[in-house]
Amino acid sequence: MGKRWLDRRQQHEGVLLTVYQRFESLVALLLTIVISVVIVVALYRLVVGILTGLVFGVLDPLEHKVFQEVFGQIMTLLIALEFNHTLQHVVTREQSIIQIKIVILIALLTLARKFIILDFETTSFEQLLGLAAVTLALGITYWLMRERDDRLLRATRMLRRDDPEST
């Protein structure tokens, strides 16, 4: 009696998990579509803005402010592309959840963008210190997670070498 109940419960949990996985994939797919539309619109506006600015001589790519603005927009597109790429793993079920290391890398990209577009003349020392502290914290967190993953990978390889059935 107890074993049959446990088997039914496991089947029920499996169905629920499958339903949730489908829901997660659907949400990720919808987010991917929305972000793709945003990327296409942002790319269109960037290209049109740059081309019309260059043609009409309004945009001087050597001017520091223009350079910052253009590269800020490019970095924004790259961040959106990376985020979309991450969601694609969930849609294709290569991963069931977003990997925290990837989120940290996206956050670091976002901070790099912030540093690129930052106007150092109007930015206070406290703001710079805060951005630097967040960057350092994220960098250390990423490094620690990568080190942990590297240790786990080395341990797994060592276990495979010692396992006589794996050869």
Side-chain angles (χ1 to χ4, degrees):
M1 176 80 177
K3 181 168 175 26
R4 196 175 315 159
W5 176 82
L6 185 60
D7 288 341
R8 281 192 205 145
R9 180 181 165 122
Q10 288 173 340
Q11 287 175 344
H12 181 69
E13 286 174 355
V15 169
L16 283 178
L17 188 58
T18 304
V19 169
Y20 181 75
Q21 285 173 337
R22 288 181 184 160
F23 171 75
E24 190 178 71
S25 292
L26 178 66
V27 170
L29 178 64
L30 290 174
L31 282 173
T32 300
I33 292 168
V34 169
I35 293 170
S36 295
V37 169
V38 169
I39 289 169
V40 169
V41 171
L43 181 61
Y44 173 78
R45 291 183 68 190
L46 175 67
V47 170
V48 168
I50 290 174
L51 291 178
T52 56
L54 288 174
V55 168
F56 293 115
V58 180
L59 188 71
D60 180 11
L62 298 178
E63 186 182 326
H64 183 68
K65 265 301 198 210
V66 172
F67 185 79
Q68 279 182 309
E69 187 177 318
V70 168
F71 273 94
Q73 292 173 355
I74 291 170
M75 287 291 292
T76 300
L77 281 170
L78 290 174
I79 291 164
L81 283 170
E82 183 58 40
F83 187 65
N84 220 13
H85 181 72
T86 302
L87 286 173
Q88 201 59 36
H89 289 294
V90 177
V91 171
T92 59
R93 295 191 180 150
E94 292 173 26
Q95 296 172 347
S96 62
I97 57 169
I98 306 280
Q99 298 293 311
I100 195 70
K101 278 186 359 183
I102 295 171
V103 173
I104 291 172
L105 285 175
I106 292 171
L108 284 168
L109 267 175
T110 305
L111 284 167
R113 179 199 173 276
K114 180 68 175 173
F115 280 113
I116 287 172
I117 65 168
L118 197 64
D119 184 6
F120 288 101
E121 294 174 5
T122 60
T123 305
S124 71
F125 174 74
E126 291 81 13
Q127 288 173 320
L128 282 175
L129 190 61
L131 286 170
V134 170
T135 304
L136 182 63
L138 285 171
I140 290 171
T141 302
Y142 180 78
W143 178 74
L144 288 171
M145 292 182 78
R146 195 189 75 213
E147 285 294 315
R148 180 204 61 195
D149 290 348
D150 289 348
R151 278 195 305 272
L152 288 172
L153 185 62
R154 284 193 299 271
T156 303
R157 286 181 183 158
M158 293 291 284
L159 286 173
R160 284 186 190 147
R161 280 189 221 141
D162 291 343
D163 186 9
E165 292 181 16
S166 67
T167 55

